[in-house]
Amino acid sequence: MINQRPIKSRPFPSSSSSLISTSASSASVSSLPPSSSLIHKSDQTIPKMGRRSILKPTLATILLIFALYALFNTSIYPHPDNTLPTQTRFQVPQKAVPIYMYDLPRKFTYGVIDSYTLARGGSPNEDVTKISFPGNQHAAEWHLFSDLNNPKRSGSYVTRVSDPDKAELFYVPFFSSLSLVANPNRGGAGFRETYNDEETQESLMEWLEKQLYWKRNNGWDHVFICQDPNALYKVVDRVKNGVLLVSDFGRLGRDQASLVKDVILPYSHRINSYKGEIGVENRKSLMFFMGNRYRKEGGKIRDLLFQILESEKDVIIKHGAQSRESRRMATQGMHTSKFCLHPAGDTPSACRLFDAIVSLCVPVIISDYIELPFEDVIDYRKIAVFVDTSSAIKPGYLVKLLRGVKKDRIIEFQRELKKVQHYFEYDEPDGTVKEIWRQVSLKLPLIKLMINRDNRLVKRQLMESDCSCICSNQTGFHTSL
């Protein structure tokens, strides 16, 4: 069985068992007539008051157990619709969290788009209503910015406020991922530097560190998006107190990022979503992969998988760079395959995973250190196959495993994929953007905790991160006087 873990039965506590059995036997005895032959003589000698004294505390104990069970199974943040099935409930704030978006100088937002356009021979557009975000994979920064700028937005878990004194969160809308790639041929032949990402990062921090609301709480209540693994790399140690919106932790240190304080985002999918029906009749290929064969760091497994899989029947595995033709071929391949391979790239995650999800092509994830978005509402074992790296590179192992999956099981995977597909659609009103803000809003109690904690702790210089890895290591003392 795929993704199946052994379920250990948990024995009922002996004390509770004895209470229940005592209650049951007492109830059955008291309901029988005195002349019943099933009542032993020893039972007949128990006075009525004695039986009642046993029954009352037993029933009280059982009621107390049920009350405690009901209490601890009620969410701290109940979903507004308590009639929903348990598996669809998730934590939401009691009210929308007020968020203030900084009105950054243009060079950090639209100016980055201008620089990207100029570096490719285009002309900047002064009419912001006609500006489109170049690229696709890291478009989350554009979607969040556009959402907060939308005067008609509603139903979100955060509400934009114009008065920073009323805000509990502060969003810094720097297009950090686009800034990283604004120059098309960095260092190559004929390279002409028209834009400098490192200088822009430094300039951002100079501006931000002058702001009252940044200094007030040491950045704990600030939200930054740095979806590309290298985005904000120059200044990440200066923003690490904030909530970082990232795609994985592949290039971040354990004192810079944490699942506790940060939010994992999905990449924007590059291929069209699958609009057909669930089923395997039109999916003739067993498995599909198209991408860069040679990657550094964690992506070295790709070349090994190519060697093992490229001669296998019903497996399509191709080397391909990003281009319009590659996207067309990838769309065709993912829409007509049962499984889609997702090995690690330069970092544990890649946009290919989300291309597979919206294609209803069951992802086969071979990335031992991957972090996945929205895991409090998505059980990825229901929509993906996970194979550890050491097993995946054994000749014959992977194809044998997948060929053993029955048709009904594949359809079950597809059905679950369809249920969660909207979480990976940035353009849908109830899609990715709304879910990102929910995840951010749930960090607020922790942020308040860290602000108060930060204000009373003696600051210390640590050789390495302690158990509270989200704390910054600083020197100095605080006083409450």
Side-chain angles (χ1 to χ4, degrees):
M1 292 291 291
I2 293 181
N3 296 336
Q4 185 171 351
R5 297 182 181 179
I7 300 175
K8 296 181 180 180
S9 59
R10 184 169 60 184
F12 204 84
S14 57
S15 59
S16 300
S17 300
S18 61
L19 286 172
I20 291 176
S21 62
T22 302
S23 172
S25 61
S26 299
S28 61
V29 169
S30 61
S31 64
L32 292 171
S35 59
S36 171
S37 61
L38 296 178
I39 302 179
H40 296 284
K41 290 182 179 179
S42 58
D43 292 327
Q44 293 175 357
T45 61
I46 300 176
K48 290 183 179 180
M49 291 299 294
R51 287 199 298 272
R52 289 176 182 172
S53 64
I54 294 173
L55 184 60
K56 285 182 178 180
T58 301
L59 289 173
T61 302
I62 293 172
L63 290 172
L64 177 61
I65 291 172
F66 278 111
L68 289 173
Y69 177 83
L71 175 64
F72 285 107
N73 279 272
T74 301
S75 173
I76 296 175
Y77 299 106
H79 192 281
D81 185 358
N82 286 323
T83 63
L84 290 174
T86 303
Q87 65 268 25
T88 64
R89 293 182 187 171
F90 47 82
Q91 288 186 330
V92 298
Q94 296 286 354
K95 61 180 182 179
V97 175
I99 189 169
Y100 177 80
M101 182 167 70
Y102 281 110
D103 184 15
L104 293 179
R106 182 186 171 95
K107 68 177 182 179
F108 299 117
T109 54
Y110 297 117
V112 182
I113 299 177
D114 293 342
S115 298
Y116 182 97
T117 303
L118 283 169
R120 285 155 181 78
S123 300
N125 193 334
E126 293 299 324
D127 184 353
V128 297
T129 63
K130 296 180 180 179
I131 291 178
S132 59
F133 191 78
N136 183 272
Q137 183 175 354
H138 302 117
E141 58 195 18
W142 173 256
H143 287 288
L144 295 180
F145 179 69
S146 299
D147 176 63
L148 289 179
N149 275 321
N150 180 5
K152 297 181 180 179
R153 67 190 302 270
S154 62
S156 178
Y157 297 105
V158 299
T159 182
R160 184 179 178 182
V161 294
S162 57
D163 183 355
D165 285 325
K166 295 180 179 179
E168 294 188 274
L169 294 173
F170 295 81
Y171 183 61
V172 183
F174 172 45
F175 295 162
S176 58
S177 294
L178 186 63
S179 176
L180 189 71
V181 296
N183 276 322
N185 300 304
R186 290 175 294 173
F191 170 68
R192 181 174 66 88
E193 189 172 273
T194 58
Y195 179 84
N196 190 297
D197 174 49
E198 290 189 358
E199 288 180 2
T200 306
Q201 292 180 50
E202 288 287 353
S203 180
L204 172 73
M205 293 310 301
E206 288 175 8
W207 184 90
L208 189 60
E209 287 168 352
K210 293 176 183 176
Q211 306 305 309
L212 169 66
Y213 300 96
W214 170 262
K215 293 185 287 187
R216 184 178 63 179
N217 291 320
N218 204 20
W220 288 110
D221 48 6
H222 283 56
V223 182
F224 299 85
I225 183 165
C226 40
Q227 194 174 27
D228 187 286
N230 291 317
L232 292 181
Y233 73 96
K234 185 75 173 177
V235 298
V236 68
D237 277 324
R238 292 155 70 180
V239 303
K240 64 183 180 181
N241 282 358
V243 179
L244 304 182
L245 309 182
V246 299
S247 286
D248 60 43
F249 299 137
R251 302 261 169 86
L252 295 167
R254 58 182 179 174
D255 64 332
Q256 296 170 336
S258 162
L259 276 178
V260 176
K261 77 175 186 70
D262 301 320
V263 175
I264 303 294
L265 308 187
Y267 288 116
S268 301
H269 60 84
R270 300 166 305 167
I271 69 173
N272 297 329
S273 300
Y274 181 73
K275 302 299 183 183
E277 297 297 322
I278 289 171
V280 297
E281 289 74 17
N282 296 323
R283 296 181 181 267
K284 305 302 181 184
S285 300
L286 175 69
M287 184 167 57
F288 176 83
F289 174 83
M290 185 174 183
N292 218 320
R293 175 171 183 165
Y294 304 103
R295 307 301 288 178
K296 52 190 175 183
E297 300 175 26
K300 292 178 181 178
I301 187 179
R302 289 193 184 182
D303 185 42
L304 296 174
L305 290 170
F306 265 83
Q307 296 175 38
I308 293 169
L309 297 172
E310 58 189 351
S311 61
E312 290 284 352
K313 181 183 177 182
D314 297 335
V315 173
I316 301 172
I317 184 165
K318 296 179 179 180
H319 174 77
Q322 291 190 27
S323 68
R324 183 173 298 179
E325 177 60 19
S326 292
R327 285 196 295 273
R328 187 195 66 78
M329 294 174 65
T331 300
Q332 175 69 15
M334 288 188 168
H335 287 189
T336 57
S337 298
K338 300 175 183 71
F339 297 95
C340 284
L341 187 64
H342 177 73
D346 290 346
T347 56
S349 187
C351 59
R352 193 169 292 99
L353 169 61
F354 309 106
D355 289 341
I357 289 173
V358 299
S359 298
L360 304 189
C361 182
V362 183
V364 180
I365 299 176
I366 306 171
S367 184
D368 296 343
Y369 302 102
I370 194 170
E371 296 295 347
L372 297 165
F374 316 148
E375 282 206 78
D376 62 333
V377 291
I378 300 174
D379 183 351
Y380 281 85
R381 296 170 303 170
K382 294 181 178 180
I383 65 170
V385 177
F386 292 85
V387 182
D388 64 281
T389 299
S390 58
S391 297
I393 59 177
K394 293 177 182 177
Y397 178 87
L398 200 54
V399 289
K400 182 179 179 181
L401 176 72
L402 298 180
R403 285 180 180 140
V405 183
K406 304 296 185 185
K407 173 184 174 181
D408 289 348
R409 184 74 176 98
I410 296 172
I411 291 174
E412 184 181 341
F413 273 122
Q414 292 177 347
R415 189 174 292 113
E416 294 296 328
L417 282 166
K418 196 143 185 107
K419 288 180 184 178
V420 302
Q421 198 175 23
H422 69 281
Y423 285 113
F424 306 98
E425 299 286 1
Y426 275 91
D427 290 322
E428 285 195 9
D430 289 324
T432 314
V433 171
K434 183 177 181 180
E435 180 58 23
I436 290 171
W437 289 133
R438 184 182 75 84
Q439 299 281 337
V440 170
S441 71
L442 293 178
K443 303 297 180 182
L444 188 59
L446 173 74
I447 290 168
K448 291 181 176 179
L449 180 153
M450 295 310 298
I451 289 171
N452 291 336
R453 184 174 182 268
D454 201 37
N455 287 333
R456 60 91 183 162
L457 277 181
V458 173
K459 301 298 178 181
R460 62 227 190 266
Q461 184 71 37
L462 301 179
M463 297 302 294
E464 61 180 29
S465 303
D466 62 7
C467 59
S468 55
C469 60
I470 61 174
C471 297
S472 58
N473 301 328
Q474 302 177 37
T475 56
F477 292 91
H478 277 307
T479 176
S480 60
L481 296 178

